[in-house]
């Protein structure tokens, strides 16, 4: 624990997501008995701090609600239009909703069935999008950073 003033805390919060704040990490030994003794001795000030903390958080939540930041409603958009596939093509589909994180194969690349073509990020997990068949990756319709829906076509493969 390192005490900071309000301005320092705001600066840390701003810098941390961008990798510009590195917390100091120290090796130490934790004693549960010493911790319990300490918290018992400081019960009054701890309770007072927690009341202040709860009030501040309640005020922050009210501010979020007043500014409409307390919830996220994903717009119910129709799926993107898809052109008809050539009769022998194999569609590459998104297995889950998420966003395109990495493209591992470029259009025109020869691929084998089961080969990873791209990686989606979904709920902080990496999800591989694999080739459904061997052939040539004829087209990709997704780009890095793009949000995709489950079942959305991301490209197609033509047999060679």
């Amino acid at each position: 624990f390192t005490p900071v003033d309000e301005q320092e805390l705001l600066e840390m919060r701003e810098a941390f997501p961008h990798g510009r704040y590195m917390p100091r990490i120290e090796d130490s030994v934790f004693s549960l008995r010493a911790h319990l003794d300490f918290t018992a001795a400081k019960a009054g000030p701890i309770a007072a701090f927690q009341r202040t903390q709860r009030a501040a958080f309640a005020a922050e939540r009210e501010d979020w609600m007043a500014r409409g930041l307390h919830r996220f409603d994903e717009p119910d958009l129709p799926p993107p239009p898809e052109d008809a596939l050539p009769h022998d093509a194999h569609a590459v589909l998104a297995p889950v909703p998420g966003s395109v994180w990495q493209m591992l194969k470029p259009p025109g690349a020869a691929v084998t069935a089961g080969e990873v073509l791209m990686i989606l990020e979904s709920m902080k997990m990496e999800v591989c999008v694999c080739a459904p068949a061997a052939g040539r990756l004829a087209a990709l319709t997704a780009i890095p950073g793009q949000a995709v829906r489950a079942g959305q076509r991301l490209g197609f493969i033509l047999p060679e």
Side-chain angles (χ1 to χ4, degrees), residues 5-63:
D5 63 30
E6 182 178 353
Q7 184 59 39
E8 288 175 294
L9 179 60
L10 292 173
E11 290 169 4
M12 286 184 218
R13 285 181 175 172
E14 173 60 31
F16 186 78
H18 306 286
R20 294 190 309 260
Y21 174 75
M22 293 301 293
R24 189 178 73 216
I25 300 173
E26 300 174 352
D27 287 332
S28 64
V29 175
F30 178 76
S31 165
L32 180 58
R33 171 55 43 214
H35 173 72
L36 293 175
D37 291 345
F38 173 80
T39 56
K42 304 287 185 182
I46 289 171
F49 171 80
Q50 288 175 332
R51 282 190 297 276
T52 302
Q53 183 184 43
R54 283 191 295 272
F57 186 66
E60 190 169 6
R61 286 190 55 99
E62 286 178 23
D63 179 58

